[in-house]
Amino acid sequence: MPIDNSWAPEGRNCNQTPASHFPLSLLAMGSSLEVESSSSSSSYFPEEEKEWGGRVAEKVFSVYNSLPKKGKPQGREVTVLAAFLLSSPSQDLEVVALGTGTKCVGRSRLSHRGDIVNDAHAEIIARRALLRFLYAEIQRLNDNLNKQGQVETRQLQADGLKNSLFQSDSYGSGETKYRLRAGWKLHLYISQLPCGVASLNSASSIDEHGHSAFELSDALRANSGDCSQFIGLVQRKPGRGDATSSVSCSDKIARWNIVGVQGALLSYFLQPVYLCSITVGKSPYVSEDFFLAQQLKRSLYDRIMHLSDELIKPFEVNKPIFCAAAVPEKEFQHSQTAQTTLTCGYSITWNKFGLHEVILGTTGRKQGTSAKGAVFPSTESSLCKKRLFEIFLSLRQDCKIKYSSNEVSYRELKDRAGEYNSASKLFKGKPPFHNWLVKPLNLENFSINS
């Protein structure tokens, strides 16, 4: 059965389909998500949603299983798998970026050169692989336009770019950026509930030592012995003996539902890119689909919905539809007691344009990096800030940024993304995100010769 993209949920990239085109079962589901209920029936998800979750998972695992064993869990090891998929106007569904992993770099190992990957959790690895995919799409689009010359640009946009992911979009200030073409929708799959608020009371919130797999920020932990009153606030991912500066995946995904998944630098080129659906693999220890849906809605949407009247276009509160998929394969099933499984230390990253690397999550560098060679460029992952910054600078003429010198810092260019930063500051300035962890500024002050 072909995928019907009219199933797509409410949200910036999905609201082009009139409500009258949505199946009644999905409209009913959207309404039921607004109301707290004690129902635990496995029939909570309409049949179309169950089929959608199954199709998404099938696509993701098909790609994952095609990859070499390098970096995959061995023996008792388990990991988390995440992937981004695109659905097209022709109803095709394709995985475009994928990541695995459960580790982070501790504070003492953070680099001021931007040459390591700080957060190697699956969702974050997959998103960075997605960023490289989006950069490649923009480069391909720009190359096609430049080949045609100014005279033929209009005809090219009308004829030659019909299959492009993006189209140009002018708005208020007269500035032109790209946005997803009508009918193209972005989806996220995760093999289990994301760490942090969404994982409370689930097996995925326990690490291999039986401890909580997230922590409140230091300031809150110091001021209160009872953390129950802070449920819903920003959580920090723990490190093994070395605290991290990375916030939980629940908090980061909630932020994507405000500012988009593209980040600050890509916002020079793109309008916000929002998720249309989030599909999560069910836990073997919790049979109720309703629990999963409510956890996702509460952590990824309810906490941000109060910002809807304060955001300025093109930013808005995005509401994806939350779907369940079948319990994933054994290597993605974390033990409920955290005593029979170990978390794999490696992260695999892949995208459809040829990216494929294995990263050691606790160092943020490529697998096989020796202690002596740890600062060599050859050890740097394609996902680190430095490498993504290089891609951005390679497109600098297209974004028409004026530099004050031959060098410009990563932090400076992020700060110049005015509209994006306004939305981000609004998000971080309001409860429950006002305790968002702030990294030392010197960690992003690195520059690259332009």
Side-chain angles (χ1 to χ4, degrees):
M1 177 180 175
I3 294 174
D4 180 359
N5 280 305
S6 67
W7 296 352
E10 299 172 37
R12 179 174 175 80
N13 293 326
C14 306
N15 61 8
Q16 295 157 347
T17 303
S20 60
H21 291 183
F22 285 80
L24 290 177
S25 57
L26 282 194
L27 292 176
M29 177 187 174
S31 300
S32 65
L33 283 175
E34 300 298 327
V35 182
E36 296 297 329
S37 170
S38 60
S39 171
S40 60
S41 170
S42 61
S43 62
Y44 172 72
F45 284 95
E47 196 60 39
E48 293 96 332
E49 285 302 304
K50 290 181 179 180
E51 183 176 338
W52 171 258
R55 291 186 68 92
V56 167
E58 181 182 5
K59 290 284 187 179
V60 172
F61 281 101
S62 176
V63 171
Y64 176 80
N65 291 332
S66 73
L67 299 177
K69 291 184 178 180
K70 185 178 180 181
K72 293 183 177 180
Q74 303 295 320
R76 294 168 52 206
E77 291 181 333
V78 293
T79 192
V80 176
L81 172 64
F84 288 90
L85 306 90
L86 281 170
S87 57
S88 71
S90 61
Q91 302 183 355
D92 293 326
L93 182 65
E94 182 180 22
V95 178
V96 295
L98 176 149
T100 68
T102 63
K103 304 295 184 181
C104 287
V105 174
R107 285 178 181 171
S108 65
R109 290 195 171 197
L110 295 178
S111 171
H112 63 277
R113 298 181 295 272
D115 55 353
I116 66 173
V117 177
N118 298 336
D119 187 342
H121 279 220
E123 298 92 325
I124 312 309
I125 293 294
R127 184 222 171 215
R128 285 180 170 264
L130 174 70
L131 296 186
R132 291 195 68 98
F133 167 80
L134 295 176
Y135 273 119
E137 277 287 326
I138 293 170
Q139 183 67 68
R140 187 165 67 94
L141 186 57
N142 287 341
D143 289 346
N144 286 335
L145 290 172
N146 291 335
K147 286 178 183 178
Q148 296 296 318
Q150 296 298 319
V151 176
E152 299 178 2
T153 295
R154 286 188 179 180
Q155 186 63 32
L156 176 67
Q157 289 179 331
D159 298 329
L161 299 180
K162 287 182 179 179
N163 294 323
S164 171
L165 177 61
F166 298 120
Q167 67 183 53
S168 61
D169 184 28
S170 299
Y171 62 105
S173 63
E175 186 177 4
T176 298
K177 295 185 180 183
Y178 295 129
R179 65 177 174 85
L180 287 181
R181 294 181 70 88
W184 288 89
K185 300 172 177 63
L186 183 66
H187 311 276
L188 172 63
Y189 170 85
I190 316 171
S191 59
Q192 66 176 37
L193 287 166
C195 69
V197 175
S199 287
L200 290 176
N201 303 318
S202 73
S204 57
S205 65
I206 304 298
D207 67 16
E208 64 239 52
H209 306 294
H211 303 138
S212 173
F214 62 87
E215 300 176 11
L216 289 166
S217 66
D218 293 340
L220 291 180
R221 292 171 69 241
N223 291 331
S224 176
D226 178 15
C227 294
S228 61
Q229 61 181 302
F230 298 121
I231 297 303
L233 294 181
V234 173
Q235 314 292 331
R236 174 166 55 83
K237 295 172 181 174
R240 181 176 295 180
D242 186 9
T244 77
S245 295
S246 299
V247 302
S248 76
C249 291
S250 292
D251 297 318
K252 290 186 176 183
I253 297 172
R255 185 167 176 249
W256 299 344
N257 280 331
I258 292 291
V259 298
V261 301
Q262 78 291 329
L265 293 186
L266 268 172
S267 70
Y268 280 95
F269 302 96
L270 298 176
Q271 298 284 26
V273 179
Y274 290 113
L275 292 167
C276 288
S277 72
I278 300 176
T279 299
V280 174
K282 292 189 286 189
S283 167
Y285 313 106
V286 180
S287 59
E288 296 87 355
D289 290 352
F290 181 80
F291 169 81
L292 184 147
Q294 287 297 92
Q295 290 286 84
L296 290 170
K297 174 180 176 289
R298 184 186 50 133
S299 59
L300 307 183
Y301 177 71
D302 287 354
R303 293 193 298 158
I304 61 173
M305 59 187 300
H306 63 284
L307 299 174
S308 58
D309 294 331
E310 300 186 55
L311 290 164
I312 300 175
K313 293 290 186 181
F315 297 94
E316 59 187 42
V317 173
N318 178 58
K319 181 185 177 184
I321 271 184
F322 303 115
C323 308
V327 175
E329 299 170 8
K330 281 288 186 181
E331 62 192 283
F332 305 103
Q333 295 181 25
H334 293 239
S335 171
Q336 191 171 24
T337 61
Q339 295 176 351
T340 59
T341 58
L342 298 172
T343 52
C344 180
Y346 294 115
S347 288
I348 298 172
T349 181
W350 173 94
N351 74 21
K352 69 166 289 187
F353 284 147
L355 172 67
H356 182 208
E357 289 180 357
V358 178
I359 304 165
L360 180 58
T362 52
T363 66
R365 294 184 179 274
K366 288 181 182 178
Q367 181 186 26
T369 300
S370 66
K372 291 184 178 179
V375 295
F376 292 163
S378 60
T379 70
E380 297 169 2
S381 167
S382 300
L383 304 188
C384 71
K385 293 176 181 178
K386 175 184 172 183
R387 293 299 181 93
L388 291 174
F389 191 30
E390 289 172 347
I391 300 175
F392 173 85
L393 292 177
S394 72
L395 299 174
R396 63 189 182 277
Q397 293 180 345
D398 295 302
C399 61
K400 299 181 175 61
I401 303 171
K402 296 181 180 179
Y403 300 147
S404 57
S405 65
N406 290 331
E407 288 191 356
V408 61
S409 74
Y410 178 82
R411 179 75 258 170
E412 182 182 358
L413 279 178
K414 285 184 68 174
D415 287 344
R416 288 188 193 178
E419 291 181 334
Y420 178 92
N421 279 310
S422 295
S424 181
K425 288 177 181 177
L426 175 64
F427 167 80
K428 293 179 181 178
K430 302 280 187 178
F433 302 100
H434 57 291
N435 65 316
W436 194 274
L437 294 170
V438 179
K439 294 184 178 70
L441 292 178
N442 68 322
L443 292 179
E444 295 189 338
N445 277 340
F446 62 91
S447 300
I448 297 174
N449 289 330
S450 58

